[in-house]
Amino acid sequence: MTALLEARHLSKVFGGGLFSRQRTYALLDFSLRVDAQPPSITAIVGESGSGKTTLARLLLGLVAPTQGEVVYLGKTINSMTASERRTFRRDVQVIFQDPYDAYNPFYKVDHVLGKPISNFHLASSKREARDLMAQALEAVGLRPADTLGRYPHQLSGGQRQRIMVARALIAKPRLIIADEPVSMVDASLRATVLGNLRTLKRDFGISLLYITHDLTTAYQISENIIVLYGGSVAEAGDVELVVPQPKHPYTQLLIGSIPSPNPRHRWTPRRVSGDVSPQVGAIDSCRFAARCPSAMPRCWEKHPPLFRTDEHRVVACYLYDRAPLTEAEVMDEVFVR
């Protein structure tokens, strides 16, 4: 079966030009396959600077990879015709992180929702366009009568972000890349937005790549998870395995940084030392070696491959070198379907 969207050995390096010889390795040899069916929700998590947003921009075709390629329905996006690129733009939508910056304050909500309708010729009349807007708003729990005709400053942050979800839904996409969609929303409204995202998969058959630094929401919404560190995959697989029982030292560090909700449990976060900017410098060694309490000499000599420690998990760590190897390009074989 032809994949809906594929990342094949993607790498992105910034710098290294005439005026800046220092190179920043934002993403290294990343591969991922999103199948057309069944619809899925895959979380991509990591701390700031781990390469999450760079990956999103590469998948959307907003920046060109240094190495590798992005393939949509069997064709690389940089070789598409104008018609094929239009189809790609419709089928792969995005929800941006900041609902405050995603709006032009001079335009009403109608303009935001009407743009994809006009761009992709989704309606033959103004009335039909209005009906599409109303249906999309109702799908995310907003009343059209209370929303249409208003300016962004007249809406709450939660309303603005749900309108971004509605805008993506109007195009009837097959995949939505959601880049930190709840990080700028109050905690009381996060459950609502997450519920909207689940609805996209359940009711409309849309797959999602959910990009976040928040492991809690990633665990709530996704079926599979990919943990990035320094632009490389640290651990990936079934979210029910990776989050409750992390194997990679970096994933363990992330989980350990989450305070317990039980006030009787004393929370003692793990402290690590070392370079916190692994994107700068050599790429041959493990990206986490400088901060890892379990680092071995071989970690500095060669970046570890992916070891399949469980049926539905791979870990890039030499602590598990007795497990079978998995090639990066078929990492998704461990995902639950």
Side-chain angles (χ1 to χ4, degrees):
M1 179 185 294
T2 301
L4 179 64
L5 187 70
E6 285 184 275
R8 296 178 179 173
H9 299 285
L10 285 183
S11 294
K12 183 61 181 178
V13 182
F14 295 100
L18 178 64
F19 299 102
S20 175
R21 296 190 178 276
Q22 179 174 276
R23 294 190 174 191
T24 299
Y25 300 92
L27 197 68
L28 288 172
D29 196 25
F30 180 90
S31 295
L32 175 65
R33 174 189 173 106
V34 179
D35 288 329
Q37 291 294 333
S40 61
I41 302 179
T42 301
I44 299 172
V45 305
E47 63 190 43
S48 296
S50 60
K52 306 185 303 295
T53 297
T54 297
L55 172 61
R57 292 172 63 83
L58 288 168
L59 293 177
L60 290 165
L62 300 179
V63 295
T66 305
Q67 290 182 340
E69 58 187 6
V70 178
V71 180
Y72 174 72
L73 292 178
K75 190 162 188 177
T76 58
I77 61 174
N78 61 359
S79 65
M80 288 179 175
T81 64
S83 176
E84 290 170 335
R85 184 167 287 272
R86 177 179 289 273
T87 300
F88 170 73
R89 293 294 184 208
R90 174 176 173 174
D91 286 353
V92 182
Q93 291 286 306
V94 62
I95 299 172
F96 292 107
Q97 174 179 358
D98 192 347
Y100 299 91
D101 287 344
Y103 290 93
N104 186 324
F106 294 101
Y107 290 116
K108 295 180 180 180
V109 171
D110 310 51
H111 178 84
V112 175
L113 298 178
K115 206 64 179 172
I117 295 175
S118 60
N119 285 346
F120 300 118
H121 309 294
L122 302 178
S124 57
S125 66
K126 289 185 178 180
R127 181 171 182 174
E128 186 179 353
R130 192 85 172 180
D131 289 342
L132 287 176
M133 295 180 200
Q135 291 168 13
L137 290 172
E138 290 169 352
V140 298
L142 293 174
R143 295 179 58 187
D146 297 337
T147 309
L148 294 174
R150 302 179 72 180
Y151 288 96
H153 71 272
Q154 296 174 310
L155 303 167
S156 69
Q159 288 174 318
R160 280 192 283 256
Q161 193 62 301
R162 279 185 282 172
I163 290 170
M164 285 288 93
V165 177
R167 182 205 58 79
L169 177 59
I170 278 180
K172 299 179 181 178
R174 304 175 69 179
L175 172 67
I176 291 178
I177 298 174
D179 187 7
E180 301 271 14
V182 297
S183 65
M184 299 289 290
V185 178
D186 291 341
S188 60
L189 294 172
R190 289 181 183 176
T192 301
V193 177
L194 291 175
N196 294 153
L197 297 179
R198 288 195 198 95
T199 298
L200 297 179
K201 180 206 169 197
R202 184 186 65 240
D203 296 348
F204 299 96
I206 300 172
S207 292
L208 286 100
L209 289 180
Y210 178 75
I211 297 172
T212 184
H213 66 274
D214 187 346
L215 277 166
T216 303
T217 60
Y219 182 67
Q220 289 175 336
I221 194 174
S222 65
E223 298 133 5
N224 298 290
I225 188 170
I226 300 171
V227 182
L228 287 181
Y229 180 78
S232 294
V233 175
E235 188 167 352
D238 182 358
V239 71
E240 295 292 348
L241 279 176
V242 175
V243 175
Q245 304 167 28
K247 294 259 186 203
H248 195 281
Y250 174 63
T251 314
Q252 293 171 355
L253 176 65
L254 283 180
I255 301 297
S257 67
I258 303 174
S260 170
N262 189 338
R264 295 182 180 180
H265 291 173
R266 182 181 179 86
W267 177 55
T268 306
R270 294 176 60 185
R271 299 185 181 278
V272 295
S273 59
D275 184 11
V276 296
S277 300
Q279 299 92 337
V280 178
I283 61 173
D284 296 332
S285 62
C286 172
R287 308 292 276 168
F288 191 60
R291 302 174 67 188
C292 183
S294 303
M296 300 173 280
R298 65 191 299 193
C299 300
W300 296 96
E301 297 167 1
K302 185 178 180 181
H303 190 280
L306 294 174
F307 296 100
R308 190 165 185 170
T309 59
D310 301 275
E311 181 182 1
H312 294 297
R313 182 198 340 233
V314 290
V315 184
C317 181
Y318 285 121
L319 291 173
Y320 309 100
D321 59 358
R322 294 187 178 182
L325 291 176
T326 295
E327 296 296 330
E329 59 266 26
V330 292
M331 176 183 69
D332 60 282
E333 288 183 354
V334 305
F335 288 173
V336 294
R337 305 297 180 182

